[in-house]
Amino acid sequence: MNTPSNNDTIAAIATAPGAGGVGIVRLSGPAALTIAEAVTARTLLPRRAIRALFTEAGGETIDDGIVLAFPAPRSFTGEDVAELQAHGSPVLLRRLVERCCELGARPARPGEFSERAFLNGKVDLVQAEAIADLIAAADLRAARAARRSLEGAFSQRIEAIAATLLRLRVHVEAAIDF
């Protein structure tokens, strides 16, 4: 069995389960932009929404929508990222993920986009956990607390305490030396 690697390109439905007006399939990894261009037969422009047809290998249309490209390192994961925004039919979104996998991606594990953001230094561990907390928030108060952690409030407090402890350690070690 192959072990997932950060060198893989991953694909997943990025919107909540169920039907909706819009659904998003996200790709991240070295082949993300190439795969998105193959699915759409369009040349992608960084951070530009482009209307496109999402197609099968034989040219049959899966759906139409919008494709966006976020080249590394200026993306959520720090890798090349593409988003295919289609109609929110679970059947169509699953087919788009399958099509991306036919072109070289693999299905993402739950939380793998956030994991890659952490591993690539885009978020710290507290912020990565705050993403999960924000998604799971049962009320507005919990959502606001998670949002503050995601914005770095908790991490900044920890860094300030660590800096104070480091200064104290330097003074203690200097006193011991003398």
mmCIF file of all heavy atoms in Angstrom, residues 12-17 22-25 93:
data_model
loop_
_atom_site.group_PDB
_atom_site.id
_atom_site.type_symbol
_atom_site.label_atom_id
_atom_site.label_comp_id
_atom_site.label_asym_id
_atom_site.label_seq_id
_atom_site.Cartn_x
_atom_site.Cartn_y
_atom_site.Cartn_z
ATOM 1 N N ALA A 12 -10.201 17.082 -3.028
ATOM 2 C CA ALA A 12 -11.332 16.791 -2.148
ATOM 3 C C ALA A 12 -12.433 17.811 -2.375
ATOM 4 O O ALA A 12 -12.186 18.930 -2.840
ATOM 5 C CB ALA A 12 -10.903 16.833 -0.685
ATOM 6 N N ILE A 13 -13.629 17.396 -2.022
ATOM 7 C CA ILE A 13 -14.751 18.340 -1.991
ATOM 8 C C ILE A 13 -14.529 19.227 -0.773
ATOM 9 O O ILE A 13 -14.316 18.728 0.334
ATOM 10 C CB ILE A 13 -16.093 17.595 -1.902
ATOM 11 C CG1 ILE A 13 -16.281 16.710 -3.140
ATOM 12 C CG2 ILE A 13 -17.247 18.580 -1.737
ATOM 13 C CD1 ILE A 13 -17.465 15.755 -3.053
ATOM 14 N N ALA A 14 -14.539 20.534 -0.973
ATOM 15 C CA ALA A 14 -14.225 21.473 0.101
ATOM 16 C C ALA A 14 -15.458 22.127 0.711
ATOM 17 O O ALA A 14 -15.325 22.930 1.625
ATOM 18 C CB ALA A 14 -13.272 22.554 -0.433
ATOM 19 N N THR A 15 -16.628 21.793 0.209
ATOM 20 C CA THR A 15 -17.854 22.362 0.757
ATOM 21 C C THR A 15 -18.569 21.308 1.590
ATOM 22 O O THR A 15 -18.283 20.114 1.492
ATOM 23 C CB THR A 15 -18.765 22.878 -0.371
ATOM 24 O OG1 THR A 15 -18.791 21.920 -1.434
ATOM 25 C CG2 THR A 15 -18.253 24.199 -0.929
ATOM 26 N N ALA A 16 -19.509 21.766 2.406
ATOM 27 C CA ALA A 16 -20.228 20.870 3.310
ATOM 28 C C ALA A 16 -20.990 19.801 2.535
ATOM 29 O O ALA A 16 -21.419 20.032 1.408
ATOM 30 C CB ALA A 16 -21.200 21.685 4.168
ATOM 31 N N PRO A 17 -21.154 18.622 3.146
ATOM 32 C CA PRO A 17 -21.908 17.548 2.483
ATOM 33 C C PRO A 17 -23.342 17.982 2.170
ATOM 34 O O PRO A 17 -23.920 18.807 2.870
ATOM 35 C CB PRO A 17 -21.906 16.422 3.510
ATOM 36 C CG PRO A 17 -20.796 16.728 4.444
ATOM 37 C CD PRO A 17 -20.654 18.215 4.451
ATOM 38 N N VAL A 22 -23.704 25.945 -4.953
ATOM 39 C CA VAL A 22 -22.307 25.925 -5.382
ATOM 40 C C VAL A 22 -21.569 24.896 -4.546
ATOM 41 O O VAL A 22 -21.786 24.777 -3.346
ATOM 42 C CB VAL A 22 -21.643 27.310 -5.202
ATOM 43 C CG1 VAL A 22 -20.157 27.266 -5.543
ATOM 44 C CG2 VAL A 22 -22.339 28.362 -6.045
ATOM 45 N N GLY A 23 -20.695 24.160 -5.195
ATOM 46 C CA GLY A 23 -19.816 23.226 -4.507
ATOM 47 C C GLY A 23 -18.403 23.436 -5.005
ATOM 48 O O GLY A 23 -18.187 23.837 -6.144
ATOM 49 N N ILE A 24 -17.444 23.190 -4.147
ATOM 50 C CA ILE A 24 -16.041 23.439 -4.490
ATOM 51 C C ILE A 24 -15.232 22.164 -4.357
ATOM 52 O O ILE A 24 -15.320 21.463 -3.354
ATOM 53 C CB ILE A 24 -15.436 24.534 -3.580
ATOM 54 C CG1 ILE A 24 -16.191 25.851 -3.763
ATOM 55 C CG2 ILE A 24 -13.946 24.713 -3.869
ATOM 56 C CD1 ILE A 24 -15.789 26.932 -2.776
ATOM 57 N N VAL A 25 -14.438 21.884 -5.380
ATOM 58 C CA VAL A 25 -13.426 20.826 -5.328
ATOM 59 C C VAL A 25 -12.085 21.537 -5.273
ATOM 60 O O VAL A 25 -11.784 22.398 -6.113
ATOM 61 C CB VAL A 25 -13.509 19.890 -6.552
ATOM 62 C CG1 VAL A 25 -12.292 18.957 -6.602
ATOM 63 C CG2 VAL A 25 -14.804 19.100 -6.523
ATOM 64 N N LEU A 93 -19.815 16.734 -7.909
ATOM 65 C CA LEU A 93 -18.592 17.030 -7.170
ATOM 66 C C LEU A 93 -17.741 15.771 -6.991
ATOM 67 O O LEU A 93 -16.518 15.826 -7.157
ATOM 68 C CB LEU A 93 -18.928 17.656 -5.815
ATOM 69 C CG LEU A 93 -19.623 19.017 -5.893
ATOM 70 C CD1 LEU A 93 -20.038 19.484 -4.507
ATOM 71 C CD2 LEU A 93 -18.734 20.051 -6.575
#
